[in-house]
Amino acid sequence: MNLFESPLIWEIGGWLAFLIVGGLFIRSDYRPNRSRRYQLGLLLSLLGLLVLKRALVLFINRELNPDESQLLSQAITLRHYPVYWKYVDGATMGPLSCYYVAIPGYFGIPLNYMVLRWVSFLCLGINIGSGYFTIENFFGSRAARLAMLPAVAFLGFTTNLDFLHATNEQLSLALIGLALWQYSRLWLQKYFDSSRNLFLLSFICSLVPFAKLQGTPTVLVIVAAALIGLLQRYSAMPRLLFWRSLSALFLGGLAFPALVVLLTLGFGVFDDFVHFYIVGNFAYSAGAGFWYYLLQFPAFVGRTTDFLVYLLPTFALLIGWLAFSRQTSGRKDRLLFIVALLASSGYAIIKPGNEFTHYLLYLVIPVTLLNAWLIDNFRKPAHTSLWVGFIILLIGFNRVSQTAAPSKNPLIVYQDPGRRQFYISPASQKTLEFAKRGEPLVVWGWAPQYNVETQMPQGVCDNHVIRCVMGGDQRIHRARYLRNIQNSRPPVFLDAVGPNSTWLNDRVRYGYETFPELKKYIDTHYRFVGEIDKTRVFARIDRYKH
C-alpha cells in the first residue's frame, strides 16, 4: 500500500512518532545531565517529527495558496530579468524572499510548487532550530525542547492550508530566528562589547525588512535590546571600545540598506523602491484604525482553531504560574524582552487589518519563548509528564474533531497521487501554442499560476492588478503597467478576471476593458484567440498570424 495514498497509515505513523518524541522527553527528565550529543538528538527528533508530518505537503505540486504562485512567478521573472522593481514588484513581499526562491532556478532546477515548498520548509527548519538554541541559551536545553514541543506539534499536525503553504513570511521568520539566536549568544556570553558580534546581529536584522517589511517591528526590539545591553556595560568599558562597539551596531544595521539604495540608484529604480515598497507598504491597511483591529484580534484568533489550540498550553502555564509560583527573581530582563517581542509581533500582525491567517506565524517563536520562561518555573519530572501529556491530549482532541468533519481537513483531498504531478491548465496550454517558455506573459487579474504553469516570466512588474483597480493610487500603478507591457510586448495577454482569479471575479467591474488605455493597446496589437475556462486569451498579431 502506498503511504501517500492512505490517510489512515499516514495518520498512525505521525502519531507513533509524536508519542515516541513525547516519551523521550519525559524519559530525559528522569535521567538528567545527559550529554550534549543526547540533547541534540532530542532536537533532531523534534525536527524529524516535523519533517514526517510535513512530507505529504512537501510533495504536492499544486498551488495551496495564491501567495505561492506569486512568489514563483516573481522568482521565474528574476531568473530571466534579475532587477527588482524594474521587472518585479512583490507589493508586500520583499525582494530577498523572491531572490531566495529564484536560487534553484539559477542552477537549472524548474521553479514549481514542490521546489518552492522545499525551500520554504528549509526556512521553517531554520526558524525552529534557531528558536531552540535561543531558548537553550536563555533557559537551558530542558526548557528549550519542552517549549518547542507545542510549536512543532502545531506546525506538524495543522490542516489549515494558510499555515501549510509556502508563505512569503518564511524567509523573514528564518532571519528573525537567527537574529534571536545571535542576541541570545550575546546575552549568555556577555558579548555586548564585541564589535564583530554586534555588527553581525544588526546586519541580520537589517535583512528582515527586505524579506518582508512586516517583520521590522520584531527586529527593532532585538536591536534595541542589544543596544540596552551595550549601554549597561558603559561604565565598565574603555571609552574607545564602547564607541567602537556602538558604531559596529549601527554600521551593521546600515550596511545592507545602503547597498540596496546604491543598487536601486544604479539601476534607476530608486523612486520605485521608495514609492511602491516603503511608502506603499507603510500605508497598507484595510481601512480602519489600529485600535479597531486590536479589538477584533481575539475573535480572529478564535476562528483559527489550530492556532487557538497551540495557545492553550501557554494559557495553562500562565494559570499554573499565577497559582503556584509567581517567581520572577533574576529573570525579569528576559521576561521584558519576551513581552516586547510579543507586543511588536502582535502589532505587525494587527496593523494591516487583514485577517490573513498566515500572519500569525510571527507569533510562534515569541509565544514559545514565553512558554520557556514559564516552564523554567516547573522543573520536576512530574511537571514534564503533565506538560507532554496535556499537549498530546490537545492535539488528539483537535484531530478527532477534524476527522469527524472531513471538510476541515483539506489534506485528505491532496493525498490524490495526481496532485504530485505538475499541472498545466487548458489556458496555459493554449498560451504555449503562441509563445514559448522564457518569453514574457502578462496576466490581467490575480492569477499568477499561469506564469508558473507556462514557466514564462512576467511582462509587467505586478503579477496581480489589485492596485490598478482599487485604492487611491491607481493612476500611478496603471501608468507603470502600461509602460511595462509596451516595453515587454508579450506574445500572449490573458484576462483572467473571473473564477480563476483571486478576489477579482467580476469582469464588468475589473476586466481589462475598465482600463481604457490598456484596452486600446490590446485591441491595436493583439487578436482575441478565445475564452478558455473563463480566461480570455489574446495573441500578439504577428504570433496570431503565425
Side-chain angles (χ1 to χ4, degrees):
M1 182 180 291
N2 191 322
L3 178 62
F4 283 102
E5 298 174 19
S6 173
L8 180 60
I9 291 179
W10 191 261
E11 190 71 13
I12 290 173
W15 272 100
L16 283 175
F18 190 26
L19 292 172
I20 290 170
V21 170
L24 289 172
F25 283 13
I26 293 172
R27 184 172 180 267
S28 67
D29 252 28
Y30 284 93
R31 297 183 63 184
N33 302 320
R34 295 282 190 173
S35 67
R36 178 64 175 164
R37 181 179 296 180
Y38 183 83
Q39 303 292 352
L40 291 177
L42 293 177
L43 169 60
L44 289 176
S45 72
L46 266 180
L47 293 174
L49 173 63
L50 186 59
V51 171
L52 176 64
K53 291 300 299 175
R54 282 295 182 102
L56 175 63
V57 178
L58 293 174
F59 287 100
I60 295 172
N61 210 353
R62 300 290 181 89
E63 177 193 278
L64 300 183
N65 184 288
D67 281 357
E68 293 184 327
S69 293
Q70 286 183 243
L71 266 173
L72 279 172
S73 67
Q74 288 158 186
I76 290 167
T77 306
L78 291 172
R79 165 69 180 83
H80 295 274
Y81 311 106
V83 181
Y84 204 85
W85 290 302
K86 185 174 183 179
Y87 300 101
V88 168
D89 181 354
T92 61
M93 299 183 193
L96 289 182
S97 293
C98 301
Y99 283 116
Y100 170 69
V101 174
I103 290 174
Y106 293 116
F107 294 95
I109 300 173
L111 293 173
N112 56 38
Y113 297 102
M114 194 181 299
V115 170
L116 170 66
R117 218 154 281 130
W118 276 98
V119 298
S120 178
F121 184 77
L122 176 62
C123 288
L124 179 61
I126 291 172
N127 193 24
I128 294 297
S130 57
Y132 175 92
F133 290 121
T134 298
I135 296 171
E136 188 179 50
N137 286 337
F138 282 146
F139 304 105
S141 57
R142 174 184 176 270
R145 60 178 174 266
L146 293 180
M148 291 304 304
L149 184 61
V152 170
F154 156 62
L155 293 168
F157 282 90
T158 182
T159 58
N160 190 319
L161 296 184
D162 252 6
F163 294 131
L164 289 171
H165 79 269
T167 75
N168 56 67
E169 289 85 16
Q170 289 295 359
L171 181 62
S172 66
L173 288 168
L175 291 170
I176 289 170
L178 291 173
L180 284 168
W181 183 12
Q182 176 66 2
Y183 172 77
S184 71
R185 291 179 65 248
L186 293 172
W187 179 88
L188 179 67
Q189 301 175 16
K190 309 302 180 187
Y191 275 170
F192 289 114
D193 57 356
S194 170
S195 301
R196 182 181 61 183
N197 283 286
L198 287 171
F199 181 93
L200 178 60
L201 172 67
S202 58
F203 180 78
I204 295 172
C205 289
S206 74
L207 298 177
V208 171
F210 298 97
K212 179 82 172 179
L213 202 61
Q214 199 171 9
T216 304
T218 304
V219 291
L220 286 176
V221 167
I222 299 172
V223 171
L227 177 60
I228 291 170
L230 175 62
L231 293 174
Q232 288 176 336
R233 294 183 57 82
Y234 175 77
S235 60
M237 292 174 62
R239 293 297 171 265
L240 179 60
L241 178 60
F242 172 81
W243 289 110
R244 188 169 64 188
S245 299
L246 184 64
S247 299
L249 182 65
F250 281 96
L251 288 174
L254 293 174
F256 189 75
L259 176 63
V260 171
V261 169
L262 289 175
L263 288 173
T264 54
L265 287 170
F267 287 105
V269 293
F270 178 76
D271 290 341
D272 294 80
F273 159 57
V274 172
H275 180 82
F276 294 114
Y277 193 62
I278 304 299
V279 177
N281 281 315
F282 272 110
Y284 180 62
S285 174
F290 173 77
W291 295 108
Y292 173 80
Y293 298 140
L294 179 63
L295 293 174
Q296 300 299 312
F297 185 66
F300 166 46
V301 174
R303 290 190 294 271
T304 312
T305 307
D306 288 351
F307 193 78
L308 183 61
V309 170
Y310 164 63
L311 293 178
L312 290 179
T314 306
F315 294 147
L317 282 173
L318 282 169
I319 293 170
W321 178 72
L322 289 171
F324 302 110
S325 179
R326 299 188 184 182
Q327 294 181 4
T328 61
S329 179
R331 300 181 303 136
K332 287 183 178 179
D333 58 337
R334 283 165 286 177
L335 178 60
L336 289 173
F337 177 62
I338 293 167
V339 170
L341 286 176
L342 285 167
S344 59
S345 300
Y347 175 81
I349 295 167
I350 296 167
K351 168 65 170 62
N354 294 305
E355 294 187 352
F356 295 147
T357 306
H358 50 88
Y359 284 178
L360 295 172
L361 292 171
Y362 279 110
L363 280 174
V364 171
I365 293 302
V367 169
T368 300
L369 284 166
L370 179 59
N371 286 345
W373 189 89
L374 293 165
I375 286 170
D376 198 43
N377 292 279
F378 304 101
R379 303 183 181 183
K380 295 179 180 179
H383 295 151
T384 299
S385 300
L386 288 171
W387 173 249
V388 172
F390 181 56
I391 294 167
I392 291 173
L393 284 174
L394 278 177
I395 298 297
F397 178 80
N398 192 38
R399 292 296 280 176
V400 168
S401 67
Q402 291 171 342
T403 303
S407 61
K408 293 184 178 180
N409 188 354
L411 284 185
I412 292 175
V413 176
Y414 286 93
Q415 285 174 317
D416 175 1
R419 294 186 179 272
R420 296 196 293 278
Q421 304 300 319
F422 188 65
Y423 174 73
I424 302 179
S425 66
S428 291
Q429 292 176 29
K430 178 58 70 173
T431 296
L432 291 172
E433 292 180 14
F434 297 93
K436 58 185 178 181
R437 290 176 172 84
E439 291 186 308
L441 171 67
V442 171
V443 182
W444 178 262
W446 189 344
Q449 69 268 20
Y450 292 129
N451 294 93
V452 180
E453 292 170 1
T454 59
Q455 292 290 292
M456 296 173 67
Q458 300 166 197
V460 293
C461 287
D462 298 292
N463 58 16
H464 69 69
V465 300
I466 291 293
R467 298 182 296 179
C468 289
V469 297
M470 298 180 184
D473 213 10
Q474 293 180 31
R475 182 181 58 82
I476 294 175
H477 288 284
R478 287 188 172 193
R480 181 176 66 170
Y481 194 96
L482 193 62
R483 185 170 63 250
N484 288 165
I485 196 171
Q486 289 171 340
N487 289 336
S488 66
R489 299 183 67 249
V492 177
F493 171 81
L494 301 179
D495 183 354
V497 172
N500 296 317
S501 177
T502 303
W503 289 2
L504 305 177
N505 310 123
D506 188 344
R507 188 174 290 178
V508 174
R509 295 179 63 189
Y510 304 121
Y512 86 102
E513 303 94 334
T514 60
F515 182 176
E517 293 84 0
L518 177 62
K519 181 181 186 302
K520 180 180 179 181
Y521 180 79
I522 297 300
D523 291 349
T524 302
H525 299 283
Y526 292 78
R527 291 294 178 265
F528 180 60
V529 173
E531 183 169 324
I532 302 173
D533 194 23
K534 304 299 182 181
T535 295
R536 290 186 284 182
V537 181
F538 299 82
R540 203 173 62 209
I541 291 177
D542 60 316
R543 295 298 177 93
Y544 182 81
K545 291 179 178 179
H546 177 73

